[in-house]
Amino acid sequence: MLSPTERKRAGFPLLSSHAAEMKKYVEVYSLFVDKGYSKELCEAYADAFIDNVKKPTDFDLIQIASLYDRIYDNKTAYFYLEKLIDKKLGGAEKFSYCTGMLTTISKIGNWRDAEEFRTINIGFLQKYCGKATLKEQAKLYIALALTDCAAKNYTQALKLLKFGYKPQGKNDFMLLEIFITVVYIFAKADDIEGLEGALDNAMGCLSIFKDFDFSWQEEYYRKRIKDASQGIL
């Protein structure tokens, strides 16, 4: 979840009453700080910015879907992303929507829909990646790998994750997300030997992280790695 400061920097508009909306955002964000990703956080966010709002922002729909994705509720994540299907999105918002939709559909297991969505949007995604940050590129490669994984193209999925990502400073959670995705793919492929190596890499990556931003963060990622090894992402 973006911090209030990051949300301002990202340039996403809040609703018209800026101060009041930012106050609500800070209150919801405090739940994230204290407890991390949870159903309580998702419901509080939806209540504050979506369910009781006439016209939720595109950003809020994308972020609520991301929050539900973090608690493995892919169907609810899709419910919110689906509200953006007919919207004329562009730039970073369209990129986040496309990667979110690819990820969500793939995790649900609708690989044909995921492949069709990829075909329709791959031109935009490739063009956007020409100027994207390395972490944004990683987000796309993870989404594309999950699409191939859903279609049981495990070798191709793993190849996509070997695109040359380089760590970006200490505690690079995107690097850890790549390792976790590799664990998940080996688990879905029932490749026991590959899974053991992937688990070692993921746990090794986590072990070098120091000074976590939130008290719940280390245990959260330990659980993510364990869940991925059981085919849950």
Side-chain angles (χ1 to χ4, degrees), residues 126-198:
Q126 289 176 330
K127 184 177 180 181
Y128 183 89
C129 267
K131 57 182 179 180
T133 66
L134 194 56
K135 288 188 177 183
E136 285 178 318
Q137 291 177 37
K139 189 176 178 181
L140 173 59
Y141 278 105
I142 288 173
L144 294 174
L146 291 174
T147 301
D148 280 327
C149 181
K152 299 185 178 182
N153 296 325
Y154 303 118
T155 301
Q156 176 60 24
L158 291 168
K159 283 182 179 178
L160 283 168
L161 296 176
K162 296 178 180 178
F163 66 97
Y165 184 84
K166 296 180 180 179
Q168 306 291 295
K170 78 168 190 175
N171 291 13
D172 185 352
F173 290 105
M174 183 56 72
L175 177 64
L176 185 55
E177 290 290 345
I178 293 171
F179 281 127
I180 291 172
T181 305
V182 172
V183 170
Y184 172 78
I185 293 170
F186 275 119
K188 298 298 282 188
D190 291 323
D191 185 333
I192 303 302
E193 184 179 351
L195 177 58
E196 289 177 354

Side-chain angles (χ1 to χ4, degrees), residues 1 29 32-37 70 171 173 176-177 180 206 209-225:
M1 181 177 180
Y29 184 72
F32 173 72
V33 172
D34 292 340
K35 299 181 180 180
Y37 300 103
R70 289 287 191 166
N171 291 13
F173 290 105
L176 185 55
E177 290 290 345
I180 291 172
L206 181 60
F209 282 26
K210 305 294 181 183
D211 303 322
F212 289 89
D213 295 328
F214 309 109
S215 61
W216 50 265
Q217 216 164 16
E218 183 175 8
E219 183 56 34
Y220 165 76
Y221 279 104
R222 287 188 185 281
K223 185 176 185 301
R224 284 280 310 284
I225 293 169

Side-chain angles (χ1 to χ4, degrees):
M1 181 177 180
L2 290 186
S3 70
T5 301
E6 288 171 329
R7 185 173 182 179
K8 287 180 180 178
R9 191 184 305 131
F12 294 111
L14 286 165
L15 302 177
S16 55
S17 51
H18 177 85
E21 296 304 320
M22 182 54 73
K23 183 180 179 181
K24 285 197 295 182
Y25 192 89
V26 170
E27 290 173 356
V28 173
Y29 184 72
S30 69
L31 289 174
F32 173 72
V33 172
D34 292 340
K35 299 181 180 180
Y37 300 103
S38 66
K39 186 175 181 180
E40 180 185 2
L41 171 65
C42 293
E43 291 177 345
Y45 195 103
D47 184 62
F49 297 106
I50 298 170
D51 295 344
N52 297 311
V53 176
K54 285 186 177 180
K55 293 183 178 181
T57 68
D58 298 338
F59 166 78
D60 284 320
L61 290 168
I62 292 168
Q63 180 152 256
I64 190 64
S66 174
L67 295 178
Y68 272 107
D69 172 72
R70 289 287 191 166
I71 63 170
Y72 308 143
D73 190 343
N74 304 123
K75 290 184 179 179
T76 303
Y78 181 77
F79 169 79
Y80 285 111
L81 287 173
E82 195 176 26
K83 295 178 182 294
L84 295 168
I85 286 177
D86 296 324
K87 287 286 193 79
K88 292 184 178 180
L89 303 174
E93 282 188 341
K94 183 172 182 179
F95 179 79
S96 294
Y97 162 72
C98 287
T99 53
M101 188 64 92
L102 273 175
T103 298
T104 301
I105 298 172
S106 298
K107 289 181 183 180
I108 290 172
N110 295 340
W111 64 270
R112 288 187 177 86
D113 290 343
E115 288 189 338
E116 181 182 3
F117 187 90
R118 178 183 61 190
T119 300
I120 292 170
N121 292 284
I122 194 64
F124 162 77
L125 290 168
Q126 289 176 330
K127 184 177 180 181
Y128 183 89
C129 267
K131 57 182 179 180
T133 66
L134 194 56
K135 288 188 177 183
E136 285 178 318
Q137 291 177 37
K139 189 176 178 181
L140 173 59
Y141 278 105
I142 288 173
L144 294 174
L146 291 174
T147 301
D148 280 327
C149 181
K152 299 185 178 182
N153 296 325
Y154 303 118
T155 301
Q156 176 60 24
L158 291 168
K159 283 182 179 178
L160 283 168
L161 296 176
K162 296 178 180 178
F163 66 97
Y165 184 84
K166 296 180 180 179
Q168 306 291 295
K170 78 168 190 175
N171 291 13
D172 185 352
F173 290 105
M174 183 56 72
L175 177 64
L176 185 55
E177 290 290 345
I178 293 171
F179 281 127
I180 291 172
T181 305
V182 172
V183 170
Y184 172 78
I185 293 170
F186 275 119
K188 298 298 282 188
D190 291 323
D191 185 333
I192 303 302
E193 184 179 351
L195 177 58
E196 289 177 354
L199 275 170
D200 287 343
N201 289 335
M203 292 304 296
C205 178
L206 181 60
S207 70
I208 64 174
F209 282 26
K210 305 294 181 183
D211 303 322
F212 289 89
D213 295 328
F214 309 109
S215 61
W216 50 265
Q217 216 164 16
E218 183 175 8
E219 183 56 34
Y220 165 76
Y221 279 104
R222 287 188 185 281
K223 185 176 185 301
R224 284 280 310 284
I225 293 169
K226 180 180 178 181
D227 290 344
S229 73
Q230 298 171 353
I232 303 168
L233 189 64

